[in-house]
Amino acid sequence: MHFFNETYMPCILNIETSTEVCSMAVTENGNPVFNKENYDGPSHSVLLGVFIDEALSFTDSCGMILDAVAVSCGPGSYTGLRIGVSMAKGICYGRDIPLIAVPTLKLLSVPVLLYQDLPDDALLCPMIDARRMEVYAAVYDRALRVEREVAADIVDENSYLSFLEEHPVYFFGNGADKCRTIITHPNVRFLEKIVPLAKMMSPLSERAFMDEDFSDVAYFEPFYLKDFVATKPKNTLEV
């Protein structure tokens, strides 16, 4: 995968709230200069505002000027995505800067592409848990070209078989664990502890910035993939 590599790279505030991990990072020149992460569960409504206040205080005190806000746009937790997008929009309005939407499953693939030794013909299948035996998943090649679009899949022993017959396929994300005992093809590969993090967004958010691939701040909505079904309040995020 060829990430952006030119002289100028923007300063972007990146937000990720699609799973139970809450994270944000300010990146400049391709590197995180301020980063906050919390893995303790769905407390995004409280934590994210604190993280962002700290980040904006840091950038302002350092004389850094934000060029854009990037937000992980789904699929994922309905509540988490709404919190992240709402916060991103507020900053964009307040500072009159553009909004960048980063697909969550592509973001989930970034650390795999950066840090895993993959064969040339490998395919990536990032997965977000969607309850029971359902996952939100897509299939990409090593350049993040789409081999299969994002979909809500009910996993069984024949899932992704056409890809597994031709390629080694790497499964990862919080939806992949439920597939371990079901998908047993010789070409299956499972990677552990891969979560979407704001500090990994810069290759995607910077490329979108330089391409002027911005979202409408007023009308943008997260990519929920399927309609939210209202339930009685619980202590966990709805997905």
Side-chain angles (χ1 to χ4, degrees):
M1 181 179 183
H2 300 290
F3 290 146
F4 187 73
N5 185 24
E6 294 184 10
T7 303
Y8 173 75
M9 291 188 182
C11 180
I12 299 177
L13 191 153
N14 303 272
I15 297 171
E16 213 304 311
T17 55
S18 66
T19 68
E20 290 194 349
V21 179
C22 180
S23 65
M24 60 74 52
V26 177
T27 57
E28 186 177 45
N29 296 323
N31 298 303
V33 296
F34 187 92
N35 180 59
K36 289 285 186 175
E37 299 169 3
N38 182 278
Y39 293 77
D40 293 337
S43 302
H44 301 0
S45 60
V46 175
L47 290 174
L48 186 61
V50 175
F51 289 171
I52 288 177
D53 283 346
E54 293 176 359
L56 295 179
S57 294
F58 171 81
T59 56
D60 291 346
S61 66
C62 294
M64 300 168 65
I65 299 176
L66 289 178
D67 293 300
V69 178
V71 64
S72 180
C73 64
S77 158
Y78 176 88
T79 306
L81 290 170
R82 288 194 67 84
I83 292 169
V85 168
S86 296
M87 188 69 70
K89 285 184 173 185
I91 301 167
C92 290
Y93 275 123
R95 303 213 169 199
D96 193 25
I97 53 178
L99 175 68
I100 296 168
V102 174
T104 303
L105 294 177
K106 286 191 174 182
L107 168 60
L108 194 56
S109 302
V110 169
V112 176
L113 292 167
L114 288 177
Y115 302 121
Q116 297 290 328
D117 185 14
L118 304 176
D120 291 341
D121 62 340
L123 295 179
L124 309 182
C125 187
M127 291 178 161
I128 298 265
D129 191 2
R131 293 182 177 176
R132 302 182 183 89
M133 289 311 298
E134 194 171 28
V135 297
Y136 303 131
V139 180
Y140 304 113
D141 67 10
R142 290 183 56 189
L144 283 186
R145 290 184 292 258
V146 176
E147 295 288 332
R148 202 216 65 180
E149 295 286 354
V150 180
D153 299 332
I154 298 174
V155 178
D156 62 29
E157 64 274 10
N158 295 314
S159 298
Y160 316 105
L161 188 58
S162 61
F163 300 107
L164 287 163
E165 291 290 347
E166 302 292 334
H167 302 270
V169 182
Y170 288 75
F171 296 87
F172 49 91
N174 66 2
D177 285 345
K178 64 178 63 177
C179 303
R180 287 179 178 273
T181 60
I182 298 171
I183 302 176
T184 58
H185 193 280
N187 275 338
V188 70
R189 308 285 188 271
F190 287 102
L191 301 175
E192 297 182 353
K193 299 180 179 179
I194 306 294
V195 298
L197 293 173
K199 67 183 179 183
M200 292 293 173
M201 291 175 72
S202 59
L204 303 176
S205 59
E206 288 168 359
R207 169 52 69 185
F209 183 89
M210 300 310 293
D211 290 343
E212 298 185 356
D213 183 12
F214 303 133
S215 296
D216 189 300
V217 177
Y219 297 105
F220 177 75
E221 292 290 334
F223 178 45
Y224 297 123
L225 192 59
K226 61 180 181 178
D227 292 337
F228 174 64
V229 178
T231 61
K232 293 180 181 180
K234 297 180 179 179
N235 292 326
T236 56
L237 291 177
E238 299 293 346
V239 294

